[in-house]
Amino acid sequence: QVQLVESGGGLVQPGGSLRLSCVTSGFSPEKYATCWVRQAPGKEREGVSCFGGTGDTYYAESVKRRSIMTRDSAKSAVLLRVDDLKPEDTAIYYCAAARVPPAFLWLEKLVRGEHDYDYWGQGIQVTVSS
């Protein structure tokens, strides 16, 4: 059974940092891209970042210069850190996985919303506010 379980959300002050974790099980991380997708109130879902099966990463322009996504293989988790948080980063953040070829192009497609995901986590609220 595939599971993606997010943790680390909550209330963060503007200018602060966000650390999210997604623990995955039930599929081989090497064969999937594992990504973060967010949905702000009243807006459509937006791809944030993806970690590919071979270790490549891709970030949306909105977070590119202030984010890093890594994988902790020992914990079967992908981690996302976003610095210099802004109120517009407020959203529900979802961890999602898609079986795609191990090429950078596919990470770009996923973040841009041009390819569907196979599995989703429940989502976790992140609120950026003073």
Side-chain angles (χ1 to χ4, degrees), residues 33-38 45-51 57-63 69 104-115 117:
T34 309
C35 306
W36 290 96
V37 180
R38 67 187 182 185
R45 284 179 176 171
E46 172 193 25
V48 177
S49 62
C50 278
F51 193 99
T57 54
Y58 186 88
Y59 302 89
E61 281 298 320
S62 59
V63 301
M69 189 172 178
F104 184 81
L105 170 67
W106 287 96
L107 304 186
E108 183 177 9
K109 286 179 175 290
L110 287 167
V111 171
R112 294 190 175 194
E114 297 169 0
H115 190 79
Y117 294 91

Side-chain angles (χ1 to χ4, degrees), residues 40-111:
K43 296 188 176 181
E44 294 192 358
R45 284 179 176 171
E46 172 193 25
V48 177
S49 62
C50 278
F51 193 99
T54 56
D56 287 336
T57 54
Y58 186 88
Y59 302 89
E61 281 298 320
S62 59
V63 301
K64 186 175 182 178
R65 293 170 184 79
R66 54 192 178 99
S67 298
I68 183 166
M69 189 172 178
T70 57
R71 181 162 66 195
D72 184 338
S73 297
K75 298 180 180 179
S76 296
V78 289
L79 311 172
L80 174 68
R81 172 172 171 163
V82 183
D83 295 323
D84 191 22
L85 286 168
K86 310 173 191 303
E88 52 264 41
D89 292 316
T90 295
I92 298 175
Y93 284 70
Y94 297 89
C95 182
R99 182 156 186 172
V100 294
F104 184 81
L105 170 67
W106 287 96
L107 304 186
E108 183 177 9
K109 286 179 175 290
L110 287 167
V111 171

